[in-house]
Amino acid sequence: IFVQEALVAGRSNIDAAFVAANRALKAHIEGLEARIRRRDILVDDATQAQFYAARIPLAINSVAGFERWWRESSPATREALNMSLSDLTRRDAPEAGGEHFPPTMAVAGNHLPLSYVFEPGAVADGITLRVPRQLLEHLDAEQLAWMVPGARQDKIAELLRSLPKAQRRQLVPVTDHARLALEDVTTGPLPPFHAWLAAWITARTGTPVKASDLAAAAVPDHLRLNIRVVDSQVLAEGRDLPQLRRQLRAPTHRQEPAPDIRRSWDFGDLPERREVLRAGVSFIVWPALRDVGSGVSVVEARSLAEAEQFSRAALTRLAVLALPQLARHVAKRVADDRALVLLAQGLEGTRPFAQACAERIVLECFFDSDQDLPRNASSFAARLENRRADLDATATRLLALVRSILEERRAARAALEALRGEAFVAAVAQMRSQLQALLPADFPAAPPQPWFSQLPRYLKAIARRANRLSTNLERDLTLAGRIRPFEEQLRAFAQQAVPLAAMPAMHQLRWMLEEFRVSLHAQELRTLIPVSEKRLQEQVERILHT
């Protein structure tokens, strides 16, 4: 009873090195069983009890008696209580090795920990990936669908079983066909899982299969990766990646710490990336500066691209604070241009128009997208010193562009006002929505170049479409019908939890749509880039498969 309860079951407070060592070895073997989901590696409790009984005198039957005997034992006797792998295993288990069930998974250059649980019905049953919140956006659902090498054949077999009977009958036995499918995977980066399997099944059976149908098929939870999102604690957990993203993107009522606001570069260097250790996970973060209105704060972005986006706006704020007289001079120049101010009336800006224009001018003068960002105080000061002489010329160029944008906006609005009648309501509403999207509340801070310089052409195209609408409504409806599927797809992307890696492609699609509108409604204005329905569809596919 003592051996079984105190040593095998561990229901004692015996403080001896062999206890911890044997417990760790037993946990390792149980981990191997969790990987292969079979309890056939660890020896039973009776065998473990026999191990101890053969090495501990029969008279020892209490913790106190054991501890007296332990203190008086020789080193060799003590060492004999350390179990080896062969003492605790019934058989070798090469199928549970690290090449089949690795301890980590690569995500955005980081190796994130995997854990394995064999407990059907439990939340974490199967394989769990521990992900810092900052890296959640970098997960790729199609790559996660591959699971780990040791689980792939079982997952493919389950998906083959989910097929309609006519196709399933061509793929029996499913276990053998799952193995054959895996043998067809080429070396190198893995393709999107469901698209690859759909193509393989289609080629094998001659009947088309959609990747989306396979992705929606029901498989046991242990064959879908469990994602545990952590920060200082577990924030969320589940197997539906889009749902996790929506959940953690939603505003919360947590009390966020007040940002440490800086009004000058007194926070040290700003490295491009930094490795941190949090919640037991080591990973890469992208330090950035964020504009908080009265100054900037140092934050961590979700990617290098996002870090640069945040930092350009924040560096503009620091430059305005560092060169207050120049900033006021530019803002006064805008405010004194009465014609420009009149053109700007009706804009739903979040800041005074003159201030917003001045900040856009400062941004393009000192931190245009063609230049790397300064990453320390000395390079920031040097950038301001080297380019301050260009500020007036930049202001002249940008104010001329802003004037052109606002003049074309006025012309487009006038053309829309002239369209009266029930027949034009839908088209006019569409163009008003387009007009509002082109000049959002943060205009002229947005959009980024090169699209900012194209706004006059897009606005001119709206006016020309409106002027032609009254004499050719049927043609306009046909052209609008060609645009509508891509507008709806873009809206769907905006509402979904699109992966961070797909954001640049989604933004590109947004401006490709503007170019497509020009090509249909005002061909004479020409397009900045080649655009067609085929190219738009290719861009949609690029987003879907990112």
Side-chain angles (χ1 to χ4, degrees):
I1 293 173
F2 166 73
V3 166
Q4 176 62 44
E5 295 299 314
L7 300 179
V8 176
R11 298 188 182 98
S12 75
N13 59 355
I14 294 174
D15 183 19
F18 80 91
V19 174
N22 292 349
R23 186 182 297 126
L25 185 58
K26 184 177 177 180
H28 168 71
I29 297 168
E30 290 172 337
L32 297 179
E33 292 182 325
R35 286 158 166 75
I36 62 173
R37 302 184 68 78
R38 292 199 307 274
R39 299 297 187 196
D40 64 352
I41 305 175
L42 183 68
V43 297
D44 59 21
D45 286 357
T47 303
Q48 296 175 50
Q50 288 171 9
F51 172 88
Y52 288 119
R55 291 161 174 79
I56 299 173
L58 187 61
I60 305 299
N61 57 20
S62 68
V63 171
F66 174 84
E67 289 181 339
R68 283 195 301 273
W69 171 78
W70 175 259
R71 287 194 297 270
E72 297 168 358
S73 297
S74 68
T77 300
R78 295 184 183 186
E79 182 63 29
L81 291 180
N82 283 284
M83 290 177 167
S84 67
L85 199 60
S86 61
D87 293 320
L88 278 176
T89 56
R90 303 179 191 180
R91 64 178 181 87
D92 292 334
E95 72 275 23
E99 69 275 18
H100 303 295
F101 295 93
T104 63
M105 179 177 285
V107 174
N110 301 279
H111 294 281
L112 303 184
L114 293 169
S115 58
Y116 299 85
V117 171
F118 181 22
E119 193 177 338
V123 171
D125 183 45
I127 308 172
T128 293
L129 177 68
R130 191 174 175 89
V131 184
R133 182 174 187 170
Q134 291 90 333
L135 297 185
L136 180 64
E137 298 289 348
H138 291 270
L139 298 182
D140 181 335
E142 283 298 305
Q143 293 302 311
L144 296 184
W146 282 99
M147 303 289 283
V148 296
R152 287 171 190 163
Q153 184 170 319
D154 287 346
K155 179 166 187 173
I156 294 169
E158 285 293 333
L159 288 171
L160 296 183
R161 292 187 183 99
S162 75
L163 293 171
K165 185 176 181 181
Q167 288 171 291
R168 188 172 66 248
R169 289 175 60 183
Q170 300 180 62
L171 298 171
V172 291
V174 294
T175 302
D176 291 346
H177 280 83
R179 177 178 48 77
L180 290 172
L182 279 175
E183 290 174 357
D184 285 350
V185 179
T186 58
T187 57
L190 292 170
F193 176 77
H194 294 104
W196 162 79
L197 185 55
W200 188 88
I201 296 170
T202 300
R204 198 81 177 182
T205 65
T207 305
V209 175
K210 292 182 180 179
S212 57
D213 290 341
L214 290 178
V219 296
D221 273 353
H222 73 268
L223 294 175
R224 300 167 61 218
L225 198 67
N226 182 49
I227 302 164
R228 183 174 296 151
V229 187
V230 298
D231 196 351
S232 57
Q233 58 186 355
V234 176
L235 302 178
E237 186 168 357
R239 302 172 201 270
D240 186 334
L241 178 58
Q243 174 59 31
L244 284 173
R245 286 188 175 130
R246 285 191 291 270
Q247 180 180 341
L248 292 176
R249 285 177 182 174
T252 66
H253 300 290
R254 290 188 308 167
Q255 186 69 34
E256 298 290 344
D260 181 13
I261 299 176
R262 307 300 184 106
R263 295 177 57 83
S264 63
W265 198 307
D266 58 358
F267 42 80
D269 292 353
L270 189 73
E272 190 174 277
R273 61 188 63 209
R274 178 189 296 128
E275 185 171 357
V276 297
L277 177 64
R278 293 186 193 140
V281 182
S282 177
F283 60 99
I284 300 295
V285 297
W286 293 268
L289 299 178
R290 190 157 206 168
D291 181 9
V292 292
S294 59
V296 303
S297 63
V298 181
V299 297
E300 290 172 357
R302 297 172 298 176
S303 70
L304 179 58
E306 186 178 73
E308 294 207 348
Q309 177 190 344
F310 287 168
S311 295
R312 286 188 196 281
L315 288 170
T316 299
R317 174 69 56 209
L318 280 184
V320 168
L321 292 170
L323 303 171
Q325 291 183 331
L326 281 177
R328 283 196 296 269
H329 166 73
V330 173
K332 185 175 185 303
R333 183 173 168 180
V334 178
D336 289 346
D337 190 332
R338 302 185 67 82
L340 186 61
V341 172
L342 284 172
L343 283 170
Q345 286 186 344
L347 287 176
E348 298 179 359
T350 55
R351 288 169 296 170
F353 178 68
Q355 177 190 343
C357 284
E359 290 175 5
R360 177 82 196 214
I361 290 164
V362 170
L363 169 67
E364 296 222 4
C365 180
F366 296 106
F367 311 111
D368 61 281
S369 57
D370 293 334
Q371 295 287 323
D372 291 338
L373 296 178
R375 296 197 172 275
N376 54 54
S378 60
S379 59
F380 173 72
R383 179 74 60 87
L384 298 189
E385 185 60 32
N386 294 337
R387 294 200 171 186
R388 61 190 301 167
D390 299 331
L391 193 59
D392 267 337
T394 304
T396 299
R397 173 177 59 82
L398 272 178
L399 291 180
L401 175 59
V402 171
R403 185 186 304 278
S404 174
I405 292 168
L406 296 179
E407 287 173 347
E408 295 298 346
R409 168 180 173 267
R410 180 176 61 185
R413 294 176 70 187
L416 292 174
E417 287 294 332
L419 288 172
R420 308 282 183 178
E422 190 70 25
F424 306 126
V425 169
V428 168
Q430 184 187 55
M431 285 185 276
R432 288 193 190 282
S433 176
Q434 181 188 357
L435 192 62
Q436 185 175 14
L438 288 172
L439 281 81
D442 56 350
F443 175 85
Q449 294 290 15
W451 311 113
F452 186 72
S453 297
Q454 305 307 313
L455 290 182
R457 185 166 53 87
Y458 299 149
L459 294 165
K460 193 185 296 287
I462 293 175
R464 295 197 182 183
R465 176 189 176 188
N467 290 333
R468 292 165 179 167
L469 184 62
S470 58
T471 58
N472 206 337
L473 179 59
E474 189 173 333
R475 178 177 181 274
D476 187 88
L477 288 173
T478 300
L479 296 178
R482 293 172 63 184
I483 298 171
R484 189 174 300 110
F486 301 106
E487 290 177 326
E488 291 173 353
Q489 185 66 73
L490 185 62
R491 275 195 295 273
F493 284 145
Q495 293 167 2
Q496 295 168 2
V498 174
L500 187 66
M503 291 293 190
M506 190 175 80
H507 294 321
Q508 181 73 4
L509 176 64
R510 184 258 182 278
W511 296 108
M512 287 175 71
L513 264 178
E514 292 298 338
E515 294 293 337
F516 190 50
R517 292 188 181 103
V518 171
S519 74
L520 295 181
H521 294 296
Q523 291 181 357
E524 67 278 10
L525 297 179
R526 301 184 178 275
T527 59
L528 179 67
I529 56 175
V531 67
S532 64
E533 281 150 302
K534 180 182 177 182
R535 291 177 187 270
L536 286 168
Q537 187 57 44
E538 288 172 350
Q539 189 70 9
V540 168
E541 294 297 323
R542 194 171 291 120
I543 297 167
L544 289 171
H545 295 140
T546 298

